[in-house]
Amino acid sequence: MSSPRTLQWVGDGQGFVRLIDQTLLPTRLEYRECRTVEEVWEAIRVLRVRGAPAIGVAAAMGVVVGMQTHPGDAARLREVCAYLRTSRPTAVNLFWALERMERTFEEVRVALSPQAIHERLLREALVIEDEDRRMCRAIGKAGATLIESGDGVLTHCNAGGLATADYGTALAVLFTAQEQGKELHVFADETRPLLQGARLTAWELQQRGIPVTVICDNMAAQVMKEGRIQRIVVGADRIAANGDTANKIGTYGVAILARAHGIPFYVAAPSSTFDLSLPTGAGIPIEQRDPGEVTHGFGRQTVPDNVPVYNPAFDVTPHELITALITEKGVITPVETRTIRSVLTSAT
Ligand code: MRU
């Protein structure tokens, strides 16, 4: 089945980015047009477009938008990329995609006209989008082998089609299992404070006819104890060389609960989410977000005035707690530097 496009480029080199405004889901499915680099930056920053792979695609398209007024201008490219890098710090796909756009520019800047350079940048952004779509399908196929019919599966945050160019990472595993005729029941953690699990994951699963039950984050232990969860599958924002994984705040707690209950804990992510320059997760920058997301979530004050709030958007799950990494190149287990390097450097 085809889903609404999370984001897409509309038109030629002078076109624009159209994306689902995810802040309005699940009650409103509306698109937003980003015609300036500032609008792309804002869409990433406030999570209109979110999820590591989708952020990477949006940033690549943001470069094209930003270069429209100065095609072929190296100083402008540096400025646009530096600006987009400040939108969010944790998902490495953002930095990966911007580096790729800069590399592409360098490859052609001498040989091509400004207009042709611009067309080349647009082509690269579309290639990044297309590759992401294909990587998600491959992740689904690799991961579905780990799912058995009848499984109860817990997921945290949203790692579905809305978080990627299409189809998702963690949810791709479940979509593929469903397409193979396996019967599943998914438990979606609500995912405080921005409720990506309740608003987005539940919406996507419902669209595809996969039975889903939303639970508050603090109910996961009880649901595991009741024997309703056979596997856990989550996405990732950045995976260090040893497999330590940054993902939405609360993921680390879920991994500890999984270990305590003897439940396999899987992380699904494309190779663009690995940061092999970091030996461990200790070096992963963790985004700190506005306390207002906690104190005034969705329109109502829930914390007294002047009480301090801590609001990290991500945490890091140590690799020892991860049963396997599911990538487009295959399943990596045990999760350690040696196995990760060997799978990621293999040709597909
Ligand atoms: O703050 P968000 O909504 O961008 O966080 C998203 C996540 O943590 C996802 O699990 C992760 O990016 C993987 S998306 C395929």
Side-chain angles (χ1 to χ4, degrees), residues 47 50-53 88 157-159 163-164 169 196 235-237 247-248 314:
L47 277 57
R50 34 107 358 243
R88 293 190 77 187
C157 194
N158 171 266
T164 59
T169 57
Q196 290 93 329
D237 284 83
N247 191 49
K248 177 56 55 195
F314 300 95

Side-chain angles (χ1 to χ4, degrees), residues 11-343:
D12 60 11
Q14 294 304 311
F16 58 91
V17 187
R18 179 160 57 209
L19 47 87
I20 295 177
D21 184 347
Q22 298 186 34
T23 63
L24 304 177
L25 285 170
T27 49
R28 282 156 61 197
L29 175 59
E30 287 181 22
Y31 293 86
R32 194 171 179 99
E33 294 178 358
C34 300
R35 294 171 183 274
T36 64
V37 67
E38 288 78 13
E39 286 171 352
V40 175
W41 186 95
E42 190 265 358
I44 295 172
R45 177 64 146 221
V46 308
L47 277 57
R48 299 188 201 286
V49 60
R50 34 107 358 243
I55 291 171
V57 176
M61 293 180 178
V63 170
V64 183
V65 168
M67 293 302 288
Q68 284 170 340
T69 48
H70 304 65
D73 182 335
R76 172 68 179 172
L77 182 85
R78 275 194 300 279
E79 186 190 16
V80 164
C81 290
Y83 175 59
L84 286 167
R85 281 189 174 93
T86 63
S87 56
R88 293 190 77 187
T90 303
V92 77
N93 305 60
L94 171 78
F95 306 92
W96 169 87
L98 291 173
E99 264 165 43
R100 225 170 118 164
M101 296 299 280
E102 286 176 321
R103 247 193 341 265
T104 301
F105 183 90
E106 281 309 316
E107 278 163 19
V108 297
R109 68 182 284 197
V110 178
L112 299 185
S113 68
Q115 206 40 51
I117 295 172
H118 192 67
E119 294 304 324
R120 181 70 189 82
L121 286 179
L122 172 58
R123 191 142 45 86
E124 191 64 15
L126 298 180
V127 168
I128 289 173
E129 181 197 7
D130 185 56
E131 278 178 14
D132 187 57
R133 189 169 290 124
R134 283 187 284 116
M135 286 193 286
C136 288
R137 294 280 162 176
I139 288 170
K141 209 165 155 198
T145 58
L146 302 167
I147 305 291
E148 286 176 21
S149 196
D151 277 351
V153 181
L154 181 98
T155 189
H156 190 76
C157 194
N158 171 266
L162 289 168
T164 59
D166 180 41
Y167 207 59
T169 57
L171 294 195
V173 171
L174 308 183
F175 296 155
T176 307
Q178 178 203 37
E179 285 158 18
Q180 293 172 347
K182 294 176 185 169
E183 287 186 12
L184 309 171
H185 191 103
V186 180
F187 288 85
D189 273 351
E190 180 182 43
T191 317
R192 282 274 291 155
L194 295 181
L195 308 186
Q196 290 93 329
R199 294 188 303 107
L200 309 177
T201 297
W203 183 78
E204 281 197 50
L205 291 165
Q206 188 183 51
Q207 301 273 313
R208 286 189 180 257
I210 298 182
V212 55
T213 301
V214 171
I215 56 172
C216 299
D217 300 335
N218 53 4
M219 298 171 186
Q222 178 62 22
V223 176
M224 289 184 205
K225 194 168 150 200
E226 289 169 5
R228 299 185 196 214
I229 309 289
Q230 280 66 51
R231 347 231 151 230
I232 293 156
V233 191
V234 300
D237 284 83
R238 194 185 294 226
I239 304 175
N242 71 344
D244 291 353
T245 294
N247 191 49
K248 177 56 55 195
I249 190 73
T251 303
Y252 174 34
V254 173
I256 292 172
L257 293 177
R259 179 57 56 93
H261 291 86
I263 300 171
F265 180 89
Y266 301 120
V267 172
S271 48
S272 52
T273 300
F274 287 75
D275 183 351
L276 300 183
S277 75
L278 298 178
T280 74
I284 298 177
I286 299 296
E287 178 180 14
Q288 301 295 326
R289 291 191 64 88
D290 184 349
E293 292 177 351
V294 177
T295 59
H296 293 73
F298 301 93
R300 168 150 187 236
Q301 181 170 348
T302 52
V303 178
D305 286 336
N306 304 318
V307 171
V309 163
Y310 180 47
N311 187 19
F314 300 95
D315 57 28
V316 176
T317 299
H319 66 102
E320 301 87 1
L321 294 178
I322 302 171
T323 312
L325 298 169
I326 305 165
T327 76
E328 80 278 10
K329 290 173 175 252
V331 174
I332 306 177
T333 188
V335 178
E336 56 193 36
T337 308
R338 179 186 53 84
T339 51
I340 290 172
R341 246 176 228 289
S342 115
V343 173

